[in-house]
Amino acid sequence: MRIFLLPISTRRTFIYCQRLNQQISNEQTYIDKLTDRASKLWVKWEKYEKGWQKKVTVYGDKVFQRIPYEEWGLKSIPPLSARRRAAELEGMGKVDVTFPQTLVKPESLTEVLRKLATERQALHTKRMWWSIVGMPISAPVALIPVVPNLPFFYLVFRAWSHWRALSGSKHIEFLLDNKLVRQSPSSVLDTLYALAGVDAALESVEEDLGLLRTHQSQAVEDAGINLDRTQERMLLSKANSKLIAETLEVPELEAELARAVRQVEQSLSAKKDLQEEKSEMEAATKESKTVSKV
């Protein structure tokens, strides 16, 4: 397998694993076989033009989009089976980690990987067990005729999803603890991120000019505008996601990376709106105090 580290913003990085070792993965576990069967059934339902199966997939896809990109990334890393553990310890599974060294310094790679592996472990463990506890509670819904027990299957899926993310994170820890990670800085990614950076810089300049034009008659500080370039900013866009996936020849990466970009954009947008609202409130408070003094 090969791991990609792809910075989404100046403070957030997406991790994704591409399966390469087919010899190990061919011997699927029962869970893997069940997962593949469920995936094929889901694809079949998506092709329906109408009916409850189609409605389930439509609402289900909306739920999938809300699952954090960090969870999807960790889920892409295969669980550490006994066979895989033995193979990797014997030197058959040395893992390449590909990254843009202009954004992720080689000397900090281990630290970045360990942080991505451990920062959500407690969350996944807690939510996995909550999903398991909820399964028996939702089971009686199956007594309703015709209607499938969607709450139960949702909890099953979420329990599996958290387990898979947790297993992926522990696999990364195993690789780091046993020094099985091989650095593979990519000049191709450096070029792609440089191109993306030009687009982002142009958008940022246009945004700042728009803010300054809006507040021509007022000082920037009084208007509550923050042009601090140390703040978190986007490094990729949806268009960049497609280009990166095509260039790296990993087509399945496009959807995963685009989801991560969209979620980070939404997070930064919400944060920006909150800051603007706070600035407006502070400006209104300052103005009211000035008026009261007069």
Side-chain angles (χ1 to χ4, degrees), residues 19-257:
R19 303 288 190 91
L20 295 175
N21 196 334
Q22 297 298 325
Q23 182 178 359
I24 294 178
S25 60
N26 281 341
E27 295 192 7
Q28 292 183 316
T29 64
Y30 176 77
I31 294 179
D32 289 333
K33 292 178 180 178
L34 191 62
T35 302
D36 290 341
R37 184 176 179 182
S39 298
K40 292 178 181 177
L41 180 62
W42 188 266
V43 172
K44 181 180 177 181
W45 284 5
E46 284 183 322
K47 294 179 180 179
Y48 284 31
E49 295 183 359
K50 57 182 179 179
W52 64 265
Q53 294 96 334
K54 182 63 177 179
K55 291 182 179 179
V56 168
T57 59
V58 169
Y59 289 115
D61 287 337
K62 292 181 180 179
V63 172
F64 292 160
Q65 293 300 325
R66 296 179 61 182
I67 295 176
Y69 71 89
E70 298 96 334
E71 184 174 329
W72 286 105
L74 291 174
K75 282 166 56 178
S76 70
I77 301 166
L80 189 61
S81 63
R83 180 180 176 83
R84 185 178 295 276
R85 180 191 297 267
E88 290 177 349
L89 287 175
E90 291 172 4
M92 294 172 56
K94 197 85 171 181
V95 177
D96 286 325
V97 179
T98 303
F99 59 97
Q101 62 179 342
T102 53
L103 296 171
V104 180
K105 301 303 179 184
E107 58 269 19
S108 64
L109 180 65
T110 299
E111 179 184 351
V112 172
L113 280 171
R114 194 170 294 278
K115 180 181 178 181
L116 291 173
T118 59
E119 65 182 354
R120 295 177 62 87
Q121 283 187 353
L123 175 67
H124 289 307
T125 300
K126 179 181 178 180
R127 293 188 176 177
M128 178 186 70
W129 284 111
W130 274 115
S131 298
I132 292 174
V133 169
M135 290 180 198
I137 299 175
S138 62
V141 178
L143 298 176
I144 302 176
V146 182
V147 181
N149 192 348
L150 297 181
F152 175 79
F153 289 116
Y154 171 76
L155 290 174
V156 170
F157 166 73
R158 293 304 290 138
W160 169 83
S161 184
H162 287 300
W163 170 81
R164 191 62 183 263
L166 186 62
S167 299
S169 70
K170 291 182 177 179
H171 193 168
I172 297 175
E173 281 193 291
F174 171 81
L175 295 174
L176 293 173
D177 292 341
N178 291 277
K179 298 183 178 4
L180 295 175
V181 169
R182 181 167 51 216
Q183 294 189 8
S184 180
S186 171
S187 58
V188 173
L189 281 177
D190 287 337
T191 302
L192 291 173
Y193 271 94
L195 294 173
V198 172
D199 294 337
L202 290 175
E203 291 180 4
S204 180
V205 169
E206 291 178 359
E207 180 181 352
D208 292 345
L209 288 175
L211 287 170
L212 291 172
R213 291 193 192 101
T214 304
H215 300 275
Q216 292 178 30
S217 60
Q218 195 173 13
V220 173
E221 308 89 73
D222 294 338
I225 304 174
N226 190 347
L227 303 182
D228 185 5
R229 285 287 164 253
T230 63
Q231 285 192 341
E232 182 179 9
R233 65 183 188 278
M234 294 297 299
L235 296 174
L236 294 179
S237 66
K238 185 177 180 180
N240 302 141
S241 304
K242 183 177 182 180
L243 181 59
I244 289 176
E246 291 177 348
T247 305
L248 296 177
E249 298 182 346
V250 187
E252 62 274 17
L253 176 61
E254 180 183 349
E256 301 291 343
L257 193 54

Side-chain angles (χ1 to χ4, degrees), residues 275-293:
Q275 288 177 338
E276 289 179 352
E277 183 179 351
K278 182 180 178 181
S279 297
E280 290 175 0
M281 291 178 64
E282 290 176 350
T285 302
K286 183 178 180 180
E287 183 179 352
S288 63
K289 289 182 178 179
T290 303
V291 172
S292 62
K293 287 181 180 179

